[in-house]
DNA sequence: TTGAAATTGATAAGCCGTCTCAAGATGATA
DNA sequence: TATCATCTTGAGACGGCTTATCAATTTCAA
């Protein structure tokens, strides 16, 4: 009984997304597989991943899990509204949408230093712009490039 | 005399960026070539391009201009601060940074539509954040990803 | 003008992500 | 629970976009 509680508590974080996935699968006549569950729980633990990083992470739990399956599953998550693909550099980042505390970046073009920041007011204005254009924002990216105090001398 | 004036007027729009490029080349012991000039003037006429589109555009002026040269040159422009690379879908878009009043982007993750916008209030807040962190902004990039009205159905 | 050094064009190579397909898993149904 | 149509998987082939290679050419400082 105590064990049951502990288990259900540990699972509670993933339950919401698991339900979203189940609903999506049902609606599209798809099936819930061991791999999809495995990938989902691992995915939810992180803010953003690439297929490659998940491939290596999961190799320990299931050495036969194929890279193609991970790509397929992450794309499935996007369709289900659990993940969001973002192209960064040459790779695709899959962002955990439900993860909060998104931060923006201040990047020094001199020394490469990256300072993270968060500004509610800016976020609010972004929503405003999106709404005005008929968009519903899923995620965003704001990078300010400039020179930090030290590099200006 | 009249002709000279006409010419210098036609060039005036590209002069600023050409100078930026020249300075960058000088600083890195690189050379100013016919191809680099050609690609720069064509690039400055547009808001954003892919290497492929420039390849076809320029094929008329110089049928022997190679695709690799265009990629190399556009990347050079990024290093010189004239262009900015943005990855969308499988391709790379090269944005003209100096283009009138710098636009930010609202990007539909469903159909890829890009809506450009400008918001002084957001820019002001960006300055504020930068100053607070001891930075002086040179440029920035703001991309909002979401679903447009049509793709939400 | 000369020559060291950078650039070019053509194409090979590389990377990332998707497609293919035979073998295996899933789950609705009886 | 056994059956079986359907979906999924894993491995590798494939394809699109970008970069690397290299001999021939161009640039530019002296």
């Amino acid at each position: 009984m105590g064990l049951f509680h502990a288990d259900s508590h540990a699972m509670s974080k993933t339950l919401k997304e698991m339900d979203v996935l189940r609903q999506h699968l049902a609606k599209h006549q798809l099936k819930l597989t061991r791999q999809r569950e495995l990938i989902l729980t691992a995915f939810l633990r992180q803010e953003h991943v690439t297929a490659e990083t998940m491939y290596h992470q999961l190799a320990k739990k299931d050495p036969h899990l194929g890279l193609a399956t991970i790509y397929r599953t992450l794309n499935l998550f996007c369709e289900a509204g659990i993940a969001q693909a973002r192209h960064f550099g040459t790779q695709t980042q899959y962002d955990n949408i439900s993860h909060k505390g998104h931060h923006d970046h201040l990047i020094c073009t001199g020394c490469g230093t990256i300072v993270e920041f968060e500004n509610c007011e800016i976020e609010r204005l972004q929503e405003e712009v999106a709404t005005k254009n008929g968009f519903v924002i899923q995620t965003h990216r704001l990078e300010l490039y400039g020179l930090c105090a030290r590099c200006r001398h």
Side-chain angles (χ1 to χ4, degrees), chain A residues 103-118 122 142-149 152:
Chain A
H103 40 247
D104 297 316
H105 301 282
L106 197 45
I107 303 167
C108 179
T109 56
C111 61
T113 300
I114 296 181
V115 176
E116 290 174 348
F117 70 90
E118 222 180 318
I122 290 181
L142 171 57
E143 290 162 2
L144 307 182
Y145 298 90
L147 287 174
C148 70
R152 244 174 298 131

Side-chain angles (χ1 to χ4, degrees), chain A residues 8-128:
Chain A
S8 86
H9 184 68
M11 286 269 99
S12 71
K13 267 186 76 175
T14 69
L15 271 180
K16 197 188 102 206
E17 280 76 21
M18 192 62 84
D19 269 354
V20 172
L21 178 60
R22 256 192 260 270
Q23 278 190 22
H24 180 84
L25 295 176
K27 187 181 290 183
H28 295 82
Q29 285 150 315
L30 305 178
K31 293 169 178 175
L32 182 60
T33 64
R34 187 178 54 76
Q35 289 89 337
R36 284 173 179 169
E37 282 187 289
L38 184 64
I39 295 172
L40 180 58
T41 49
F43 175 71
L44 292 175
R45 271 199 270 281
Q46 315 178 57
E47 180 136 9
H48 46 80
V49 299
T50 64
E52 198 78 24
T53 56
M54 291 214 79
Y55 182 62
H56 288 116
Q57 285 170 15
L58 294 175
K60 293 158 194 164
K61 296 202 170 183
D62 181 352
H64 292 294
L65 187 57
L67 187 54
T69 299
I70 294 180
Y71 273 108
R72 281 188 291 234
T73 305
L74 288 173
N75 287 334
L76 174 69
F77 292 171
C78 289
E79 282 154 26
I82 294 169
Q84 155 82 62
R86 186 164 43 92
H87 303 278
F88 191 82
T90 71
Q91 290 195 125
T92 302
Q93 290 272 348
Y94 291 87
D95 296 354
N96 179 345
I97 285 188
S98 67
H99 212 284
K100 272 304 160 201
H102 176 85
H103 40 247
D104 297 316
H105 301 282
L106 197 45
I107 303 167
C108 179
T109 56
C111 61
T113 300
I114 296 181
V115 176
E116 290 174 348
F117 70 90
E118 222 180 318
N119 188 303
C120 308
E121 190 64 10
I122 290 181
E123 313 249 325
R124 200 183 56 68
L125 287 165
Q126 287 175 0
E127 288 290 346
E128 206 174 295

